[in-house]
Amino acid sequence: MSISSEHRSLGKQVTSNLQTLSPIVELNVGGEVYTTTLSTLKKHPGSKLADMFTGQPKLRTDSEGRFFIDRPGTYFKYILEYLRSNQVPTQCIQDVYKEALFYDIEPLVKQLQDSPQIFGEVVARKQFLARVPNYSENIELMIRIARAEAVASRQSSVTVCVVRTEEDAAKCHDALNSLDMDKKSVVKFGPWKATPSISDLLDCIKMDIEAKGYKISFQPHVTEKGFRFKSSDFFYKFLFTWW
């Protein structure tokens, strides 16, 4: 029998076993091999993971006939630990949370959201940033401007205008008209209605750009003497370092 026909035969055998509720299932999750039971995988009906093993199989098999899931295998062990014993992971919380969302295991998602790491990110920081108009779009704009200026340079600078109130927004507009710079290259954040300060937003900008793999720092934008607004009132310079 050829290798391909053996593979097809083995795949049919696994399919048949699944349809007869074979208690033992072998998985290949992103290259990591796991052995568990069908009842464990289907512990939470309605989850995406349970749906994968309900009715007709919805997954491909690898060369050994194991069901293949194209996700990070490292964190699947924490998913299995929870399904087996209701043990909520205490390591790799952010990554396990992403996998719990993917597999749609709602009880685990809710418990992880109560952890300090996820609570702070999802409930506190993300809710604040949702109140800052066009925050995500402005992050991408900053990166595009920096990359456009990176040719034959060690650093790129992007000027950012940050305003917390509508009154500050009007002042920023007046100040921008007085600055000797291309207005299109200035990225504006705000105003917003939430308690975090301008300093908090600047930290968020730095954090989110660094999370994309960039090396970045920021400082108040320095203007010439006689300018009627302090540079630190609204304007900041973000430096992208390439090498």
Side-chain angles (χ1 to χ4, degrees), residues 57-71:
K58 303 171 180 64
L59 297 170
R60 293 174 294 173
T61 56
D62 65 11
S63 60
E64 299 297 326
R66 296 175 293 231
F67 288 106
F68 179 73
I69 302 176
D70 192 14
R71 296 292 296 180

Side-chain angles (χ1 to χ4, degrees):
M1 183 182 294
S2 66
I3 294 178
S4 60
S5 60
E6 286 181 356
H7 187 189
R8 286 195 298 271
S9 176
L10 187 55
K12 291 179 181 178
Q13 182 181 347
V14 173
T15 298
S16 176
N17 287 342
L18 182 60
Q19 291 172 334
T20 57
L21 299 179
S22 173
I24 306 300
V25 178
E26 284 196 344
L27 302 173
N28 177 345
V29 185
E32 299 281 343
V33 176
Y34 294 93
T35 303
T36 186
T37 65
L38 192 63
S39 60
T40 295
L41 297 171
K42 297 171 65 175
K43 184 173 182 179
H44 294 284
S47 69
K48 185 175 181 178
L49 184 61
D51 185 60
M52 290 177 181
F53 297 93
T54 300
Q56 287 292 108
K58 303 171 180 64
L59 297 170
R60 293 174 294 173
T61 56
D62 65 11
S63 60
E64 299 297 326
R66 296 175 293 231
F67 288 106
F68 179 73
I69 302 176
D70 192 14
R71 296 292 296 180
T74 304
Y75 311 114
F76 190 73
K77 65 181 179 181
Y78 300 109
I79 300 294
L80 275 184
E81 285 178 4
Y82 177 77
L83 295 175
R84 288 166 173 161
S85 60
N86 290 324
Q87 179 179 341
V88 179
T90 57
Q91 303 176 24
C92 308
I93 300 298
Q94 297 280 358
D95 295 302
V96 177
Y97 178 66
K98 293 177 184 177
E99 296 309 296
L101 287 172
F102 173 79
Y103 293 114
D104 195 21
I105 304 173
E106 188 172 339
L108 178 56
V109 169
K110 289 183 177 179
Q111 290 185 68
L112 288 174
Q113 285 178 342
D114 286 336
S115 68
Q117 299 95 321
I118 303 300
F119 183 87
E121 174 68 14
V122 174
V123 177
R125 199 176 83 92
K126 291 293 186 184
Q127 289 298 317
F128 159 53
L129 296 178
R131 290 165 168 76
V132 180
N134 303 315
Y135 176 81
S136 297
E137 293 83 350
N138 283 341
I139 293 292
E140 295 301 326
L141 177 58
M142 288 179 64
I143 293 172
R144 288 199 301 272
I145 293 173
R147 291 174 70 95
E149 296 181 357
V151 179
S153 300
R154 183 170 187 178
Q155 291 182 320
S156 301
S157 66
V158 179
T159 302
V160 169
C161 175
V162 183
V163 293
R164 186 173 177 181
T165 66
E166 294 289 351
E167 181 182 359
D168 287 343
K171 293 179 181 178
C172 175
H173 179 75
D174 293 340
L176 190 57
N177 289 331
S178 303
L179 279 176
D180 184 19
M181 65 174 67
D182 183 359
K183 296 178 185 178
K184 293 182 180 180
S185 67
V186 178
V187 182
K188 178 186 172 186
F189 287 87
W192 63 86
K193 294 182 179 179
T195 56
S197 65
I198 287 178
S199 177
D200 294 325
L201 181 64
L202 292 170
D203 287 339
C204 287
I205 294 171
K206 183 175 185 290
M207 183 187 308
D208 288 331
I209 293 178
E210 286 181 334
K212 295 178 180 292
Y214 295 93
K215 185 177 180 181
I216 190 172
S217 61
F218 67 88
Q219 61 191 38
H221 185 276
V222 178
T223 56
E224 297 179 357
K225 293 183 178 180
F227 188 67
R228 62 195 181 106
F229 293 103
K230 291 187 300 181
S231 61
S232 57
D233 283 342
F234 309 114
F235 297 97
Y236 298 84
K237 181 165 68 173
F238 279 78
L239 291 174
F240 289 72
T241 300
W242 303 109
W243 51 275

